[in-house]
Amino acid sequence: MNTCPDIATLRTIIPAFAGVLIEVTAYYSGWSGNDRLQSGGGTFKASSDSGLIDDGGIYIKPDTQWTWVRVLDMNSFVSPNMFGARGDGATDDTVALTAAFSTPYNTVCQQGATYMTSDTVWIKDGTDARKVINLNGATIKAKAGHLKPFFANKSPTAGIYDYLHGVEMFGGRLYGWVKRESVYNQVSSHNGFVAGNKSYFYHMTVRGFCDGMVLMGESVAFDVNIDECRDNLLVVKNNDNVVSNITGGYCLGDGILVKGSKNIVTKVTIAGAGIPASTFEPGYVSGSIIALGQDKELDGSTSDCYVIDVKCGTWGGGGVIVAGENNFCENIEAGDCYYLEQTNASAVLNGAPAVYTGGKKHRVNNVTVGHCIRGIEVHSGSEGTFIDNISIASCRVHPGLSASGVQSDSRVGKVTFGRLIGNKALDIDMSGLVIDKITVNEYASAFGNGGSLCSIAKPATIGSLVFNSPSANNILPVVLMSANASIENLEVNNSKAVCLQTTAAVTLLPQNLTIQQTSDAIDSAVKLFGEGKSHVKTWRIKGNATVLPSIRGTDAQLTLDHYPADSLPWNVKYPDKSKVIILDSTLIS
């Protein structure tokens, strides 16, 4: 067999006859090696088919009549080096990558190579036969100023930047040049791996894009590290995607953005979501850790999606944000909100809630977050939603729980707050809402006329409210009931202020009440202004004997099944019309 040192020399050789073979040592002079995938060499066979087009790698034409055709079978691999890619981190390899990735053959890159790009790399449509690209430890890196899509599906229509179809890519790195401080409208097309239609993406590192990874339907990604994105680290759209074992750095948008239906995202650990760099685009909006059914492009209803086992460090515009229908989030851990010292920042929308639900039939379970601006928000119109086992270290400004408007069949399970402050830190203004248990482990607020730590303004069903405070500095009324609510247990410890106060319309009181005021309490533990009859089970009230629990209603009758003898006596302001009836005053153990 004849030999040839390189492709440039091959272009000068006119075949003697069709079918003759020639062995090319390497693509470029000076390259060598037994691995043709790295050297770019190989065996070529002469063809007189004048219709073949020179592609720089498989078909090499010395003139218009003859073509040297690289000898391959359908089980063969090609590499970008076979099309002239140098992979030296300096040469522009865009054309060679497109040529290699456009063939029907599976592609293996040179181990350790860095392929530079200045334009979109086009990849064969793998809908009918999956296109497999093994980066083999290589890096594909965009040159600065490359604003177009990183990859695009090669289609008959030139200039149409469609996402990839049926592409399997693994084992390497994709590096863009975008940063969190980049101007969104300038870099919004420069995304990392954007693919659907049974695509696979795994064992990869991605950084420096607007969106790091976008799955467009029926696709799988796992073992991917994503960092430094202007917008979102991970986007899942359309239907039937599965994502797992993702690690990440920082993004300015959402850590995980899910839209569509029947998508699963699990085992994600990221450093921060919605976090600006030291410099940033004016007017930017900070993203959330998890956003289901959010963003201006709804792309249809978001339903039946699962996001499970997510850990995030610092977060910006929100924690777990859920809209759509029948979505499930569980086992979410996060640190502190980035904007604790910038609570009025324009980048924060809706108070940066740790948990937000809107829509229908969601389940949000086992969420633990650090210090935040706003806690839980149950949005008006919620239907059949269940939020359970939520732990929040503190809420700096806005309510720990905000529930207002209308709902049906929604429920808040167990919620624990490390610390709450301010008026309406618990704002229950949603008729029919069911709450299992809320525990506040510290509360401390200055007095505000007409204010209270917990406001119950609409009928609700509550299993237990517990307020503890080691500091004993609270002088704001703890619970103000301006609507009848079915409360099984209310416990308030270490408060100087009123612990339970009602308005004139309220006669449905907590069935079991335990209050331990401080010895220097400044006001009555209980002030009942309700006009009518109330019947409760067991109440215990202790504190300062100079400020007694009181009946203030002009026509009130409170009947207590059990009231321990060591509890404070009652002060009835209107003895002619109001009274307290104690059925059993023995000490209840």
Side-chain angles (χ1 to χ4, degrees):
M1 183 187 302
N2 294 323
T3 61
C4 172
D6 52 52
I7 295 296
T9 302
L10 183 65
R11 292 186 185 279
T12 66
I13 300 174
I14 306 299
F17 54 88
V20 66
L21 298 175
I22 190 169
E23 183 72 17
V24 178
T25 303
Y27 197 93
Y28 295 109
S29 177
W31 282 16
S32 62
N34 296 325
D35 185 352
R36 294 177 177 177
L37 293 173
Q38 294 191 23
S39 70
T43 302
F44 287 79
K45 184 177 182 180
S47 171
S48 59
D49 185 349
S50 60
L52 297 176
I53 299 173
D54 193 324
D55 64 359
I58 295 178
Y59 304 113
I60 305 297
K61 297 182 72 68
D63 60 17
T64 58
Q65 177 183 354
W66 290 97
T67 303
W68 289 106
V69 180
R70 190 182 292 269
V71 177
L72 299 168
D73 60 42
M74 288 312 297
N75 295 320
S76 296
F77 294 92
V78 298
S79 75
N81 300 32
M82 292 179 175
F83 294 83
R86 291 186 179 273
D88 57 7
T91 305
D92 188 343
D93 290 325
T94 305
V95 174
L97 289 171
T98 290
F101 294 168
S102 297
T103 71
Y105 302 98
N106 293 335
T107 303
V108 179
C109 295
Q110 178 182 342
Q111 188 174 21
T114 297
Y115 301 104
M116 301 299 295
T117 66
S118 61
D119 205 338
T120 300
V121 174
W122 301 85
I123 300 179
K124 177 186 175 295
D125 191 313
T127 301
D128 296 328
R130 185 182 304 148
K131 175 65 178 180
V132 179
I133 301 173
N134 179 0
L135 291 183
N136 193 31
T139 300
I140 302 177
K141 184 177 181 180
K143 291 190 173 184
H146 176 0
L147 296 173
K148 295 180 181 179
F150 199 63
F151 295 129
N153 182 61
K154 188 170 185 180
S155 65
T157 306
I160 301 298
Y161 294 100
D162 189 15
Y163 61 84
L164 303 179
H165 299 262
V167 171
E168 180 175 351
M169 183 179 291
F170 61 95
R173 293 169 290 276
L174 307 180
Y175 288 168
W177 66 277
V178 173
K179 299 179 180 179
R180 280 177 287 156
E181 58 262 37
S182 299
V183 177
Y184 177 81
N185 288 335
Q186 294 178 1
V187 302
S188 59
S189 295
H190 192 67
N191 300 315
F193 186 77
V194 184
N197 299 94
K198 297 180 174 61
S199 290
Y200 295 82
F201 191 63
Y202 53 98
H203 305 330
M204 293 292 298
T205 297
V206 180
R207 66 173 296 142
F209 294 97
C210 190
D211 288 340
M213 178 176 69
V214 184
L215 296 190
M216 298 296 295
E218 298 181 296
S219 297
V220 175
F222 62 92
D223 187 23
V224 180
N225 178 268
I226 312 170
D227 192 12
E228 195 58 26
C229 292
R230 169 56 182 84
D231 202 11
N232 311 301
L233 290 176
L234 165 64
V235 181
V236 178
K237 299 173 70 173
N238 301 321
N239 307 328
D240 301 307
N241 297 288
V242 178
V243 180
S244 68
N245 295 92
I246 306 297
T247 56
Y250 292 94
C251 66
L252 187 53
D254 298 318
I256 303 169
L257 174 61
V258 179
K259 297 185 280 188
S261 65
K262 298 180 181 178
N263 295 303
I264 299 173
V265 179
T266 181
K267 296 182 180 178
V268 178
T269 301
I270 58 179
I275 308 300
S278 56
T279 59
F280 45 81
E281 177 186 1
Y284 78 93
V285 175
S286 178
S288 304
I289 303 169
I290 301 166
L292 285 96
Q294 298 294 302
D295 218 341
K296 61 183 179 181
E297 298 178 11
L298 295 178
D299 299 320
S301 176
T302 299
S303 63
D304 303 296
C305 294
Y306 292 77
V307 180
I308 305 170
D309 295 334
V310 175
K311 295 181 180 179
C312 178
T314 310
W315 50 280
V320 181
I321 312 298
V322 186
E325 183 173 350
N326 200 37
N327 296 306
F328 184 88
C329 290
E330 184 174 63
N331 299 339
I332 315 299
E333 297 180 20
D336 297 342
C337 179
Y338 174 83
Y339 295 97
L340 288 175
E341 305 303 326
Q342 310 169 53
T343 55
N344 293 319
S346 61
V348 177
L349 301 180
N350 303 315
V355 177
Y356 169 97
T357 60
K360 303 178 180 179
K361 301 178 182 178
H362 303 304
R363 299 293 182 269
V364 180
N365 300 328
N366 303 335
V367 177
T368 301
V369 299
H371 302 286
C372 58
I373 302 173
R374 191 183 193 101
I376 302 167
E377 181 176 350
V378 182
H379 194 64
S380 182
S382 293
E383 179 181 323
T385 290
F386 182 34
I387 302 170
D388 188 29
N389 199 22
I390 312 298
S391 178
I392 298 174
S394 74
C395 295
R396 182 66 59 90
V397 178
H398 298 295
L401 171 64
S402 175
S404 61
V406 297
Q407 65 82 39
S408 63
D409 197 30
S410 291
R411 177 181 165 197
V412 176
K414 180 182 178 182
V415 179
T416 301
F417 296 97
R419 189 172 190 266
L420 291 180
I421 59 173
N423 183 39
K424 293 187 177 180
L426 299 177
D427 187 8
I428 302 168
D429 193 15
M430 179 175 277
S431 293
L433 184 66
V434 176
I435 300 173
D436 292 350
K437 183 177 183 179
I438 295 178
T439 301
V440 180
N441 287 322
E442 184 178 0
Y443 57 96
S445 295
F447 178 78
N449 190 33
S452 65
L453 188 77
C454 173
S455 171
I456 302 174
K458 294 287 176 63
T461 299
I462 302 173
S464 180
L465 293 174
V466 179
F467 298 88
N468 300 308
S469 188
S471 63
N473 291 323
N474 181 69
I475 57 174
L476 182 71
V478 179
V479 177
L480 173 61
M481 296 178 64
S482 56
N484 284 313
S486 176
I487 303 174
E488 186 65 23
N489 298 291
L490 171 60
E491 180 179 343
V492 182
N493 294 303
N494 225 19
S495 176
K496 292 182 178 181
V498 177
C499 299
L500 172 64
Q501 182 171 320
T502 67
T503 61
V506 175
T507 57
L508 185 59
L509 302 175
Q511 288 298 292
N512 299 286
L513 174 70
T514 300
I515 292 176
Q516 179 64 65
Q517 277 190 309
T518 60
S519 59
D520 60 345
I522 59 175
D523 207 342
S524 301
V526 175
K527 290 182 178 180
L528 303 180
F529 288 86
E531 299 178 1
K533 295 182 178 180
S534 300
H535 191 153
V536 299
K537 296 178 182 177
T538 301
W539 280 25
R540 301 176 175 87
I541 304 173
K542 296 182 180 182
N544 186 353
T546 66
V547 283
L548 302 178
S550 62
I551 298 289
R552 301 291 185 96
T554 58
D555 190 12
Q557 177 178 304
L558 173 63
T559 301
L560 298 155
D561 284 350
H562 304 288
Y563 194 65
D566 61 347
S567 294
L568 292 175
W570 282 86
N571 178 19
V572 180
K573 287 287 186 180
Y574 301 96
D576 292 339
K577 296 181 179 181
S578 301
K579 57 184 176 181
V580 176
I581 301 171
I582 301 174
L583 301 181
D584 184 357
S585 64
T586 59
L587 184 63
I588 308 301
S589 60

